[in-house]
Amino acid sequence: MKFLVTGGAGFIGSHLVQALLLQGHKVITLDDLSTGREAFLQEVLAHDNHTFIQDSVQNRRVIKQCIDRVDAVFHLAAILGVKNTLEDPVKVIEGNIDGTRHVLELAFRRGIKVVFASTSEIYGKNASLPFSETSDRVYGAPSIHRWCYATAKSIDEHLCFAFADKGLPVTVLRYFNAYGPRQTNSQYGMVIPRFIHAALREEPLLVYGNGSQSRCFTYVDDMVRGTINALGHKANGLAFNIGSNRPITVLQLARMIVRMTDSDSMLQFMSYDEAYGKGYEDMPARIPDLTRSGAVLGFTSLVSLEEGLERTIRWSQGHGGA
């Protein structure tokens, strides 16, 4: 088969591109390199079955040219990150919604499958755990920009399901806290690369709040397996949680990374107001219900946190601490 991967030079996207090529497929990668890196695709840039196009999902003409050449689309391109959310909410809202609309409209014209990468952020402040795919969304006031990314992704999902009702084969995947090689320290402010970066440099690990907030971190190889499994027709018209169901607090994670890197780094605590400005809200816990993902996609998280962190630390050590 031939696939289009939008955002294919990004952290998850580049791993997905490589996996598809290893399976013998042809891949067109579209990425504007605003957060992705061409270096992430270095091993496959010259691959006979791979075409790299530097452009944006905002460019409808280019998207159409790509979609006209493929059998299915993995739509991973997105505007994300706390910095973007707080400083440029218009960029986040327009960048996510407009690009997804282009992909869905053009895929619908040809009737080809779309796998859309959403996020666990869409569950917002819902305190009822674990999150199932039918759980309610609970957001703060629209005047609080912190929620614009979750809102934009929710609208993207509404678009997906609206096109599904029209007959488009589309599947929504809600990623839970991906990590692994190529997730750099500067990329979106993610906690694991930030902690590893500091630990390898013997710098303080900055913990926001008191560190009691818990997350289920998911190794990128598991994310990619779940993403490819979503191509099947049984997944059409449905949303799936893709993640691990093993929670760990941020404080426990920081101590684990210090131990695994044999670092002398200390832990330093900072309030959310200091880090992001007054009024920033974070969720105390995020845990996915993986019942539907297991039953329909055959998905389960295979890489333990310890093994995934070992691989990620080795990669970071070989890339200057990333």
Side-chain angles (χ1 to χ4, degrees), residues 123-129 131 135-138 283 285:
Y123 294 111
K125 297 191 290 184
N126 189 332
S128 180
L129 296 170
F131 297 143
S135 292
D136 291 337
R137 292 169 292 153
V138 182
M283 282 58 69

Side-chain angles (χ1 to χ4, degrees), residues 64-291:
K64 182 180 185 304
Q65 291 173 348
C66 292
I67 286 179
D68 284 347
R69 298 163 55 192
V70 300
D71 304 304
V73 181
F74 292 97
H75 180 37
L76 276 67
I79 307 295
L80 70 165
V82 174
K83 182 178 175 65
N84 281 327
T85 299
L86 297 178
E87 295 181 2
D88 198 346
V90 173
K91 175 182 176 182
V92 172
I93 295 165
E94 293 182 345
N96 285 294
I97 295 173
D98 291 348
T100 299
R101 179 170 54 85
H102 292 328
V103 168
L104 293 171
E105 286 177 350
L106 293 167
F108 179 68
R109 290 182 179 184
R110 293 197 56 226
I112 65 172
K113 175 75 181 253
V114 176
V115 177
F116 172 68
S118 187
T119 171
S120 61
E121 277 276 327
I122 70 111
Y123 294 111
K125 297 191 290 184
N126 189 332
S128 180
L129 296 170
F131 297 143
S132 75
E133 289 83 356
T134 57
S135 292
D136 291 337
R137 292 169 292 153
V138 182
Y139 298 159
S143 58
I144 302 174
H145 294 322
R146 183 259 179 270
W147 299 109
C148 72
Y149 175 65
T151 300
K153 280 294 193 177
S154 293
I155 293 173
D156 284 342
E157 289 199 19
H158 277 296
L159 284 170
C160 287
F161 294 127
F163 275 97
D165 288 344
K166 290 184 174 185
L168 179 69
V170 58
T171 300
V172 170
L173 303 179
R174 295 172 182 162
Y175 291 156
F176 278 73
N177 296 92
Y179 75 99
R182 301 179 196 153
Q183 189 183 46
T184 62
N185 176 51
S186 61
Q187 196 173 35
Y188 325 136
M190 297 300 186
V191 66
I192 285 180
R194 184 166 59 81
F195 280 175
I196 292 174
H197 178 87
L200 292 178
R201 284 167 171 71
E202 306 289 347
E203 297 170 354
L205 274 66
L206 198 58
V207 177
Y208 299 145
N210 61 13
S212 64
Q213 60 273 36
S214 67
R215 298 290 184 267
C216 295
F217 294 96
T218 314
Y219 191 66
V220 65
D221 287 0
D222 287 332
M223 286 285 189
V224 167
R225 275 191 310 101
T227 301
I228 294 175
N229 288 356
L231 281 170
H233 70 275
K234 291 183 179 180
N236 290 346
L238 294 172
F240 296 91
N241 293 328
I242 301 294
S244 159
N245 55 7
R246 172 191 170 183
I248 184 173
T249 69
V250 171
L251 184 57
Q252 290 171 330
L253 176 69
R255 288 170 175 163
M256 181 183 292
I257 288 173
V258 168
R259 183 176 69 253
M260 292 179 70
T261 54
D262 195 25
S263 175
D264 290 326
S265 291
M266 304 294 290
L267 304 188
Q268 181 178 327
F269 295 85
M270 177 181 286
S271 71
Y272 283 104
D273 285 355
E274 290 178 279
Y276 298 127
K278 191 170 181 60
Y280 183 85
E281 298 177 271
D282 197 15
M283 282 58 69
R286 280 191 198 148
I287 302 172
D289 181 337
L290 300 176
T291 304

Side-chain angles (χ1 to χ4, degrees), residues 23-100:
Q23 292 181 7
H25 301 293
K26 295 182 179 180
V27 179
I28 298 174
T29 295
L30 180 76
D31 200 299
D32 64 5
L33 301 182
S34 58
T35 53
R37 297 183 182 181
E38 196 169 344
F40 290 169
L41 295 169
Q42 185 174 3
E43 296 177 20
V44 298
L45 277 176
H47 195 290
D48 289 343
N49 289 336
H50 182 231
T51 302
F52 174 71
I53 299 172
Q54 183 177 346
D55 215 312
S56 169
V57 289
Q58 307 291 342
N59 190 333
R60 189 180 179 91
R61 178 183 60 82
V62 171
I63 288 289
K64 182 180 185 304
Q65 291 173 348
C66 292
I67 286 179
D68 284 347
R69 298 163 55 192
V70 300
D71 304 304
V73 181
F74 292 97
H75 180 37
L76 276 67
I79 307 295
L80 70 165
V82 174
K83 182 178 175 65
N84 281 327
T85 299
L86 297 178
E87 295 181 2
D88 198 346
V90 173
K91 175 182 176 182
V92 172
I93 295 165
E94 293 182 345
N96 285 294
I97 295 173
D98 291 348
T100 299

